[in-house]
Amino acid sequence: MLVDFQGTLNFEGIGHEVLIFDVGKAISYERTKEQYLYTTTRRPNKHPVTPPPMTWNKYYEHDDILKYLETMRMRHAQLVELIHIGRSYEGRPLIVVKIESKQTAAAATAAAASSYQRLKHKRRSGQANAVFIEAGSQGLAWIGPASATWMIGELLRLMRANSK
């Protein structure tokens, strides 16, 4: 298959260089010994070991992404809420990550309750009330979950830095 593709590229006069001959084998070698032991051994102790950090320079499985999201929820309890919205065809949980300052949300709710105003269709330009990022709805779209988890980490980092 690679030879056929290279032949097509040569025929079309497209310069190319094969950097990774077997991507599947390269992915299997990405896991370190600690990560392998973390995912394959049972831990009898009561204190769970924290999962390896997300690096965004390798592919992550669904379970690893869920562990990362749960870790973010525990680290940033005042900012992150995980909402379970159902299950996939394969039975995997579908999770929505809601990031908002609980203090700001409580203040906005109190202000809205005290002075009821009819909402306008469009708020002032330049103000974002919410951002929706959808990722991972297709099994072959590997870059979506990686981009979304990176954005979640950056949003939390910036919100934490701006609150100090």
Side-chain angles (χ1 to χ4, degrees), residues 47-102:
H47 304 292
V49 177
T50 57
M54 195 77 90
T55 61
W56 295 284
N57 58 5
K58 68 176 221 133
Y59 300 106
Y60 287 98
E61 294 178 2
H62 186 260
D63 292 339
D64 295 329
I65 294 170
L66 290 180
K67 288 176 191 172
Y68 172 75
L69 295 176
E70 184 62 31
T71 302
M72 291 293 104
R73 186 193 63 77
M74 290 187 298
R75 285 185 186 165
H76 306 280
Q78 291 298 318
L79 298 173
V80 176
E81 180 182 352
L82 298 181
I83 304 166
H84 184 271
I85 60 168
R87 295 204 169 268
S88 71
Y89 178 77
E90 296 173 332
R92 296 177 179 181
L94 301 174
I95 303 294
V96 171
V97 181
K98 182 179 179 181
I99 301 173
E100 76 174 336
S101 171
K102 305 284 191 256

Short mmCIF file of all heavy atoms in Angstrom, two decimals, residues 47-102:
data_model
loop_
_atom_site.label_atom_id
_atom_site.label_comp_id
_atom_site.label_asym_id
_atom_site.label_seq_id
_atom_site.Cartn_x
_atom_site.Cartn_y
_atom_site.Cartn_z
N HIS A 47 -5.17 4.57 48.47
CA HIS A 47 -4.91 5.85 47.82
C HIS A 47 -4.59 5.62 46.35
O HIS A 47 -3.56 5.04 46.03
CB HIS A 47 -3.77 6.58 48.50
CG HIS A 47 -4.01 6.80 49.97
ND1 HIS A 47 -4.98 7.64 50.43
CD2 HIS A 47 -3.43 6.23 51.05
CE1 HIS A 47 -4.98 7.62 51.76
NE2 HIS A 47 -4.06 6.77 52.16
N PRO A 48 -5.44 6.07 45.43
CA PRO A 48 -5.16 5.85 44.01
C PRO A 48 -3.98 6.69 43.54
O PRO A 48 -3.77 7.79 44.03
CB PRO A 48 -6.45 6.29 43.32
CG PRO A 48 -7.08 7.24 44.27
CD PRO A 48 -6.68 6.80 45.65
N VAL A 49 -3.21 6.13 42.66
CA VAL A 49 -2.08 6.84 42.08
C VAL A 49 -2.61 7.78 41.01
O VAL A 49 -3.49 7.42 40.24
CB VAL A 49 -1.08 5.83 41.47
CG1 VAL A 49 0.07 6.54 40.81
CG2 VAL A 49 -0.58 4.87 42.53
N THR A 50 -2.07 8.99 40.96
CA THR A 50 -2.54 9.94 39.95
C THR A 50 -2.12 9.47 38.57
O THR A 50 -1.02 8.94 38.41
CB THR A 50 -1.99 11.36 40.21
OG1 THR A 50 -0.56 11.28 40.21
CG2 THR A 50 -2.48 11.91 41.52
N PRO A 51 -2.98 9.65 37.59
CA PRO A 51 -2.63 9.21 36.24
C PRO A 51 -1.49 10.05 35.66
O PRO A 51 -1.27 11.16 36.11
CB PRO A 51 -3.93 9.41 35.45
CG PRO A 51 -4.70 10.39 36.23
CD PRO A 51 -4.30 10.24 37.65
N PRO A 52 -0.78 9.51 34.68
CA PRO A 52 0.29 10.28 34.04
C PRO A 52 -0.28 11.55 33.42
O PRO A 52 -1.43 11.57 32.99
CB PRO A 52 0.81 9.34 32.95
CG PRO A 52 0.33 7.99 33.32
CD PRO A 52 -0.92 8.18 34.13
N PRO A 53 0.49 12.63 33.38
CA PRO A 53 -0.02 13.89 32.84
C PRO A 53 -0.25 13.81 31.33
O PRO A 53 0.38 13.01 30.64
CB PRO A 53 1.09 14.90 33.17
CG PRO A 53 2.32 14.08 33.29
CD PRO A 53 1.88 12.73 33.81
N MET A 54 -1.14 14.66 30.84
CA MET A 54 -1.44 14.73 29.41
C MET A 54 -0.32 15.54 28.74
O MET A 54 0.01 16.63 29.20
CB MET A 54 -2.79 15.41 29.24
CG MET A 54 -3.42 15.26 27.90
SD MET A 54 -4.16 13.65 27.63
CE MET A 54 -5.80 13.89 28.19
N THR A 55 0.25 15.03 27.67
CA THR A 55 1.38 15.71 27.03
C THR A 55 1.05 16.29 25.65
O THR A 55 1.75 17.12 25.16
CB THR A 55 2.57 14.76 26.86
OG1 THR A 55 2.18 13.67 26.02
CG2 THR A 55 3.07 14.25 28.20
N TRP A 56 0.01 15.82 24.99
CA TRP A 56 -0.45 16.27 23.68
C TRP A 56 0.57 16.02 22.57
O TRP A 56 0.50 16.63 21.52
CB TRP A 56 -0.87 17.74 23.70
CG TRP A 56 -2.06 17.94 24.55
CD1 TRP A 56 -3.34 17.62 24.25
CD2 TRP A 56 -2.09 18.45 25.87
NE1 TRP A 56 -4.16 17.90 25.30
CE2 TRP A 56 -3.42 18.42 26.31
CE3 TRP A 56 -1.11 18.95 26.74
CZ2 TRP A 56 -3.80 18.86 27.56
CZ3 TRP A 56 -1.51 19.36 27.98
CH2 TRP A 56 -2.83 19.32 28.38
N ASN A 57 1.48 15.11 22.78
CA ASN A 57 2.34 14.71 21.68
C ASN A 57 2.25 13.21 21.44
O ASN A 57 3.17 12.59 20.96
CB ASN A 57 3.79 15.16 21.92
CG ASN A 57 4.37 14.61 23.20
OD1 ASN A 57 3.73 13.82 23.89
ND2 ASN A 57 5.57 15.03 23.53
N LYS A 58 1.11 12.63 21.82
CA LYS A 58 0.81 11.23 21.54
C LYS A 58 -0.69 11.04 21.53
O LYS A 58 -1.44 11.93 21.94
CB LYS A 58 1.46 10.30 22.56
CG LYS A 58 0.89 10.41 23.94
CD LYS A 58 1.51 9.38 24.87
CE LYS A 58 0.46 8.79 25.74
NZ LYS A 58 0.44 7.40 25.87
N TYR A 59 -1.14 9.91 21.08
CA TYR A 59 -2.57 9.60 21.04
C TYR A 59 -3.02 9.08 22.40
O TYR A 59 -2.32 8.30 23.03
CB TYR A 59 -2.86 8.54 19.98
CG TYR A 59 -2.45 8.95 18.60
CD1 TYR A 59 -1.33 8.40 18.00
CD2 TYR A 59 -3.18 9.88 17.89
CE1 TYR A 59 -0.95 8.78 16.73
CE2 TYR A 59 -2.81 10.27 16.62
CZ TYR A 59 -1.69 9.71 16.05
OH TYR A 59 -1.33 10.09 14.80
N TYR A 60 -4.20 9.50 22.84
CA TYR A 60 -4.75 9.03 24.11
C TYR A 60 -6.04 8.28 23.87
O TYR A 60 -6.82 8.65 23.00
CB TYR A 60 -5.02 10.20 25.07
CG TYR A 60 -3.75 10.77 25.63
CD1 TYR A 60 -3.17 11.90 25.08
CD2 TYR A 60 -3.12 10.16 26.71
CE1 TYR A 60 -2.00 12.42 25.59
CE2 TYR A 60 -1.95 10.68 27.23
CZ TYR A 60 -1.39 11.81 26.67
OH TYR A 60 -0.22 12.31 27.17
N GLU A 61 -6.26 7.25 24.67
CA GLU A 61 -7.49 6.48 24.58
C GLU A 61 -8.59 7.19 25.35
O GLU A 61 -8.34 8.09 26.16
CB GLU A 61 -7.26 5.08 25.14
CG GLU A 61 -6.28 4.27 24.30
CD GLU A 61 -6.01 2.90 24.88
OE1 GLU A 61 -6.62 2.54 25.92
OE2 GLU A 61 -5.19 2.18 24.30
N HIS A 62 -9.84 6.78 25.12
CA HIS A 62 -11.00 7.40 25.73
C HIS A 62 -10.90 7.41 27.25
O HIS A 62 -11.19 8.42 27.90
CB HIS A 62 -12.27 6.66 25.27
CG HIS A 62 -13.53 7.29 25.72
ND1 HIS A 62 -14.23 6.82 26.81
CD2 HIS A 62 -14.21 8.35 25.25
CE1 HIS A 62 -15.30 7.57 26.98
NE2 HIS A 62 -15.32 8.50 26.05
N ASP A 63 -10.48 6.30 27.84
CA ASP A 63 -10.36 6.20 29.30
C ASP A 63 -9.34 7.20 29.84
O ASP A 63 -9.55 7.79 30.90
CB ASP A 63 -9.99 4.78 29.73
CG ASP A 63 -11.11 3.79 29.48
OD1 ASP A 63 -12.28 4.23 29.37
OD2 ASP A 63 -10.83 2.59 29.39
N ASP A 64 -8.23 7.39 29.12
CA ASP A 64 -7.22 8.34 29.56
C ASP A 64 -7.75 9.77 29.53
O ASP A 64 -7.46 10.58 30.41
CB ASP A 64 -5.97 8.25 28.68
CG ASP A 64 -5.26 6.90 28.81
OD1 ASP A 64 -5.33 6.31 29.91
OD2 ASP A 64 -4.65 6.46 27.83
N ILE A 65 -8.54 10.08 28.52
CA ILE A 65 -9.13 11.42 28.41
C ILE A 65 -10.12 11.65 29.54
O ILE A 65 -10.15 12.72 30.16
CB ILE A 65 -9.77 11.63 27.03
CG1 ILE A 65 -8.68 11.63 25.94
CG2 ILE A 65 -10.58 12.93 26.98
CD1 ILE A 65 -9.20 11.59 24.54
N LEU A 66 -10.93 10.64 29.86
CA LEU A 66 -11.87 10.76 30.98
C LEU A 66 -11.15 10.95 32.31
O LEU A 66 -11.58 11.74 33.15
CB LEU A 66 -12.79 9.54 31.05
CG LEU A 66 -13.82 9.41 29.92
CD1 LEU A 66 -14.65 8.16 30.13
CD2 LEU A 66 -14.69 10.64 29.83
N LYS A 67 -10.04 10.23 32.50
CA LYS A 67 -9.24 10.41 33.73
C LYS A 67 -8.69 11.82 33.81
O LYS A 67 -8.67 12.43 34.88
CB LYS A 67 -8.10 9.39 33.77
CG LYS A 67 -8.55 7.98 34.04
CD LYS A 67 -7.39 7.02 33.96
CE LYS A 67 -7.87 5.59 33.97
NZ LYS A 67 -6.79 4.65 33.72
N TYR A 68 -8.24 12.36 32.67
CA TYR A 68 -7.73 13.73 32.64
C TYR A 68 -8.83 14.72 33.01
O TYR A 68 -8.61 15.64 33.81
CB TYR A 68 -7.17 14.04 31.24
CG TYR A 68 -6.80 15.49 31.06
CD1 TYR A 68 -5.64 16.00 31.63
CD2 TYR A 68 -7.61 16.34 30.32
CE1 TYR A 68 -5.31 17.33 31.47
CE2 TYR A 68 -7.28 17.67 30.16
CZ TYR A 68 -6.13 18.16 30.73
OH TYR A 68 -5.80 19.48 30.57
N LEU A 69 -10.02 14.55 32.44
CA LEU A 69 -11.13 15.45 32.73
C LEU A 69 -11.53 15.37 34.21
O LEU A 69 -11.80 16.41 34.84
CB LEU A 69 -12.32 15.14 31.83
CG LEU A 69 -12.11 15.38 30.34
CD1 LEU A 69 -13.34 14.95 29.55
CD2 LEU A 69 -11.76 16.83 30.06
N GLU A 70 -11.53 14.17 34.76
CA GLU A 70 -11.86 14.02 36.18
C GLU A 70 -10.79 14.67 37.05
O GLU A 70 -11.10 15.30 38.07
CB GLU A 70 -12.01 12.53 36.52
CG GLU A 70 -12.44 12.26 37.94
CD GLU A 70 -13.80 12.84 38.29
OE1 GLU A 70 -14.67 12.93 37.41
OE2 GLU A 70 -13.99 13.22 39.46
N THR A 71 -9.54 14.55 36.66
CA THR A 71 -8.46 15.21 37.39
C THR A 71 -8.62 16.72 37.35
O THR A 71 -8.45 17.40 38.36
CB THR A 71 -7.09 14.81 36.79
OG1 THR A 71 -6.95 13.39 36.84
CG2 THR A 71 -5.95 15.45 37.55
N MET A 72 -8.98 17.26 36.18
CA MET A 72 -9.22 18.71 36.07
C MET A 72 -10.39 19.14 36.95
O MET A 72 -10.35 20.20 37.57
CB MET A 72 -9.49 19.11 34.61
CG MET A 72 -8.31 18.99 33.69
SD MET A 72 -7.01 20.17 34.08
CE MET A 72 -5.81 19.15 34.89
N ARG A 73 -11.43 18.31 37.02
CA ARG A 73 -12.57 18.64 37.86
C ARG A 73 -12.17 18.67 39.33
O ARG A 73 -12.59 19.54 40.08
CB ARG A 73 -13.70 17.63 37.66
CG ARG A 73 -14.98 18.02 38.40
CD ARG A 73 -15.97 16.89 38.45
NE ARG A 73 -15.50 15.73 39.17
CZ ARG A 73 -15.44 15.63 40.51
NH1 ARG A 73 -15.84 16.61 41.26
NH2 ARG A 73 -15.00 14.53 41.06
N MET A 74 -11.34 17.74 39.74
CA MET A 74 -10.92 17.71 41.14
C MET A 74 -9.96 18.85 41.47
O MET A 74 -10.04 19.45 42.53
CB MET A 74 -10.27 16.36 41.47
CG MET A 74 -11.29 15.23 41.50
SD MET A 74 -10.65 13.65 42.08
CE MET A 74 -9.40 13.27 40.89
N ARG A 75 -9.07 19.18 40.54
CA ARG A 75 -8.11 20.26 40.77
C ARG A 75 -8.76 21.64 40.75
O ARG A 75 -8.31 22.55 41.42
CB ARG A 75 -7.00 20.22 39.71
CG ARG A 75 -6.01 19.14 39.92
CD ARG A 75 -4.91 19.25 38.90
NE ARG A 75 -4.01 18.12 39.00
CZ ARG A 75 -3.14 17.79 38.08
NH1 ARG A 75 -3.04 18.50 36.98
NH2 ARG A 75 -2.37 16.75 38.24
N HIS A 76 -9.78 21.79 39.93
CA HIS A 76 -10.43 23.10 39.75
C HIS A 76 -11.92 22.97 40.06
O HIS A 76 -12.78 23.24 39.22
CB HIS A 76 -10.25 23.59 38.31
CG HIS A 76 -8.82 23.63 37.86
ND1 HIS A 76 -7.98 24.66 38.19
CD2 HIS A 76 -8.08 22.77 37.13
CE1 HIS A 76 -6.77 24.43 37.67
NE2 HIS A 76 -6.82 23.29 37.02
N ALA A 77 -12.22 22.58 41.28
CA ALA A 77 -13.61 22.31 41.67
C ALA A 77 -14.50 23.54 41.56
O ALA A 77 -15.71 23.42 41.33
CB ALA A 77 -13.65 21.75 43.08
N GLN A 78 -13.95 24.74 41.71
CA GLN A 78 -14.74 25.96 41.62
C GLN A 78 -14.99 26.39 40.18
O GLN A 78 -15.74 27.33 39.94
CB GLN A 78 -14.05 27.10 42.38
CG GLN A 78 -14.04 26.90 43.87
CD GLN A 78 -15.45 26.86 44.43
OE1 GLN A 78 -16.31 27.64 44.04
NE2 GLN A 78 -15.69 25.94 45.34
N LEU A 79 -14.35 25.72 39.22
CA LEU A 79 -14.48 26.13 37.82
C LEU A 79 -15.09 25.06 36.92
O LEU A 79 -15.74 25.39 35.93
CB LEU A 79 -13.11 26.52 37.26
CG LEU A 79 -12.39 27.69 37.92
CD1 LEU A 79 -10.99 27.82 37.36
CD2 LEU A 79 -13.17 28.96 37.71
N VAL A 80 -14.87 23.79 37.23
CA VAL A 80 -15.20 22.70 36.29
C VAL A 80 -16.36 21.86 36.82
O VAL A 80 -16.39 21.48 37.98
CB VAL A 80 -13.98 21.79 36.05
CG1 VAL A 80 -14.34 20.62 35.16
CG2 VAL A 80 -12.85 22.58 35.45
N GLU A 81 -17.29 21.58 35.91
CA GLU A 81 -18.38 20.66 36.19
C GLU A 81 -18.45 19.67 35.02
O GLU A 81 -18.43 20.06 33.86
CB GLU A 81 -19.70 21.43 36.29
CG GLU A 81 -20.89 20.56 36.58
CD GLU A 81 -22.19 21.34 36.63
OE1 GLU A 81 -22.14 22.59 36.60
OE2 GLU A 81 -23.25 20.70 36.69
N LEU A 82 -18.48 18.38 35.34
CA LEU A 82 -18.63 17.35 34.31
C LEU A 82 -20.08 16.91 34.29
O LEU A 82 -20.64 16.55 35.32
CB LEU A 82 -17.72 16.15 34.61
CG LEU A 82 -16.22 16.42 34.63
CD1 LEU A 82 -15.46 15.13 34.92
CD2 LEU A 82 -15.74 17.03 33.34
N ILE A 83 -20.68 16.92 33.11
CA ILE A 83 -22.09 16.58 32.96
C ILE A 83 -22.19 15.34 32.06
O ILE A 83 -21.73 15.37 30.91
CB ILE A 83 -22.88 17.75 32.35
CG1 ILE A 83 -22.69 19.01 33.21
CG2 ILE A 83 -24.35 17.39 32.21
CD1 ILE A 83 -23.16 20.27 32.52
N HIS A 84 -22.77 14.29 32.58
CA HIS A 84 -22.96 13.05 31.82
C HIS A 84 -24.24 13.19 30.99
O HIS A 84 -25.31 13.40 31.55
CB HIS A 84 -23.06 11.87 32.79
CG HIS A 84 -23.15 10.56 32.09
ND1 HIS A 84 -24.35 10.01 31.71
CD2 HIS A 84 -22.20 9.69 31.70
CE1 HIS A 84 -24.13 8.85 31.12
NE2 HIS A 84 -22.83 8.63 31.11
N ILE A 85 -24.12 13.10 29.66
CA ILE A 85 -25.29 13.31 28.80
C ILE A 85 -25.76 12.04 28.10
O ILE A 85 -26.67 12.09 27.29
CB ILE A 85 -25.03 14.41 27.75
CG1 ILE A 85 -23.85 14.04 26.85
CG2 ILE A 85 -24.81 15.75 28.42
CD1 ILE A 85 -23.71 14.92 25.64
N GLY A 86 -25.14 10.91 28.41
CA GLY A 86 -25.58 9.67 27.79
C GLY A 86 -24.41 8.74 27.54
O GLY A 86 -23.34 8.90 28.09
N ARG A 87 -24.66 7.78 26.66
CA ARG A 87 -23.63 6.80 26.31
C ARG A 87 -23.54 6.67 24.79
O ARG A 87 -24.53 6.85 24.09
CB ARG A 87 -23.94 5.44 26.92
CG ARG A 87 -23.88 5.46 28.43
CD ARG A 87 -23.61 4.09 28.99
NE ARG A 87 -23.29 4.17 30.39
CZ ARG A 87 -22.07 4.29 30.89
NH1 ARG A 87 -21.03 4.34 30.09
NH2 ARG A 87 -21.86 4.35 32.19
N SER A 88 -22.36 6.34 24.32
CA SER A 88 -22.15 6.14 22.89
C SER A 88 -22.72 4.79 22.47
O SER A 88 -23.17 4.00 23.31
CB SER A 88 -20.65 6.19 22.57
OG SER A 88 -20.01 5.03 23.08
N TYR A 89 -22.67 4.49 21.20
CA TYR A 89 -23.13 3.21 20.68
C TYR A 89 -22.36 2.07 21.32
O TYR A 89 -22.90 1.00 21.55
CB TYR A 89 -22.94 3.20 19.15
CG TYR A 89 -23.34 1.89 18.52
CD1 TYR A 89 -24.67 1.56 18.32
CD2 TYR A 89 -22.36 0.98 18.12
CE1 TYR A 89 -25.03 0.36 17.73
CE2 TYR A 89 -22.71 -0.23 17.54
CZ TYR A 89 -24.05 -0.54 17.36
OH TYR A 89 -24.39 -1.72 16.79
N GLU A 90 -21.06 2.31 21.63
CA GLU A 90 -20.23 1.28 22.25
C GLU A 90 -20.38 1.24 23.77
O GLU A 90 -19.70 0.47 24.43
CB GLU A 90 -18.76 1.54 21.89
CG GLU A 90 -18.49 1.41 20.41
CD GLU A 90 -17.08 1.85 20.06
OE1 GLU A 90 -16.50 2.69 20.78
OE2 GLU A 90 -16.55 1.35 19.06
N GLY A 91 -21.23 2.11 24.34
CA GLY A 91 -21.45 2.12 25.78
C GLY A 91 -20.51 3.02 26.55
O GLY A 91 -20.50 2.99 27.78
N ARG A 92 -19.71 3.81 25.87
CA ARG A 92 -18.79 4.73 26.55
C ARG A 92 -19.55 5.98 27.00
O ARG A 92 -20.44 6.45 26.30
CB ARG A 92 -17.66 5.14 25.62
CG ARG A 92 -16.79 3.98 25.22
CD ARG A 92 -15.73 4.41 24.26
NE ARG A 92 -14.89 3.29 23.91
CZ ARG A 92 -13.86 3.39 23.09
NH1 ARG A 92 -13.56 4.54 22.54
NH2 ARG A 92 -13.13 2.33 22.82
N PRO A 93 -19.18 6.53 28.16
CA PRO A 93 -19.88 7.72 28.64
C PRO A 93 -19.59 8.94 27.77
O PRO A 93 -18.46 9.14 27.33
CB PRO A 93 -19.34 7.91 30.05
CG PRO A 93 -18.08 7.14 30.12
CD PRO A 93 -18.18 6.04 29.10
N LEU A 94 -20.63 9.73 27.52
CA LEU A 94 -20.50 10.99 26.80
C LEU A 94 -20.51 12.11 27.84
O LEU A 94 -21.46 12.23 28.62
CB LEU A 94 -21.64 11.17 25.81
CG LEU A 94 -21.77 10.09 24.74
CD1 LEU A 94 -23.02 10.31 23.91
CD2 LEU A 94 -20.54 10.05 23.86
N ILE A 95 -19.46 12.90 27.87
CA ILE A 95 -19.25 13.89 28.92
C ILE A 95 -19.19 15.28 28.31
O ILE A 95 -18.53 15.50 27.31
CB ILE A 95 -17.94 13.61 29.68
CG1 ILE A 95 -17.92 12.21 30.26
CG2 ILE A 95 -17.68 14.65 30.75
CD1 ILE A 95 -18.93 11.96 31.34
N VAL A 96 -19.88 16.22 28.98
CA VAL A 96 -19.77 17.64 28.65
C VAL A 96 -18.97 18.29 29.77
O VAL A 96 -19.24 18.03 30.95
CB VAL A 96 -21.16 18.30 28.54
CG1 VAL A 96 -21.04 19.81 28.42
CG2 VAL A 96 -21.92 17.73 27.37
N VAL A 97 -18.01 19.11 29.41
CA VAL A 97 -17.21 19.83 30.40
C VAL A 97 -17.71 21.27 30.43
O VAL A 97 -17.66 21.97 29.42
CB VAL A 97 -15.71 19.81 30.04
CG1 VAL A 97 -14.90 20.54 31.09
CG2 VAL A 97 -15.23 18.38 29.89
N LYS A 98 -18.22 21.68 31.57
CA LYS A 98 -18.70 23.05 31.73
C LYS A 98 -17.69 23.80 32.60
O LYS A 98 -17.41 23.39 33.72
CB LYS A 98 -20.07 23.05 32.40
CG LYS A 98 -20.67 24.42 32.57
CD LYS A 98 -22.03 24.32 33.22
CE LYS A 98 -22.66 25.67 33.41
NZ LYS A 98 -23.98 25.55 34.08
N ILE A 99 -17.14 24.87 32.05
CA ILE A 99 -16.15 25.67 32.76
C ILE A 99 -16.76 27.04 33.02
O ILE A 99 -17.07 27.77 32.07
CB ILE A 99 -14.85 25.81 31.96
CG1 ILE A 99 -14.26 24.43 31.66
CG2 ILE A 99 -13.85 26.68 32.71
CD1 ILE A 99 -13.07 24.47 30.74
N GLU A 100 -16.94 27.37 34.28
CA GLU A 100 -17.40 28.71 34.64
C GLU A 100 -17.03 28.96 36.09
O GLU A 100 -16.91 28.03 36.88
CB GLU A 100 -18.90 28.87 34.44
CG GLU A 100 -19.76 28.21 35.48
CD GLU A 100 -21.24 28.51 35.33
OE1 GLU A 100 -21.60 29.52 34.73
OE2 GLU A 100 -22.03 27.70 35.82
N SER A 101 -16.86 30.22 36.40
CA SER A 101 -16.58 30.60 37.77
C SER A 101 -17.88 30.48 38.56
O SER A 101 -18.86 31.15 38.24
CB SER A 101 -16.04 32.03 37.82
OG SER A 101 -15.96 32.46 39.14
N LYS A 102 -17.89 29.65 39.56
CA LYS A 102 -19.11 29.46 40.36
C LYS A 102 -19.51 30.75 41.06
O LYS A 102 -20.69 31.05 41.20
CB LYS A 102 -18.88 28.36 41.42
CG LYS A 102 -18.42 27.04 40.85
CD LYS A 102 -19.54 26.28 40.19
CE LYS A 102 -19.13 24.87 39.86
NZ LYS A 102 -18.85 24.60 38.51
#
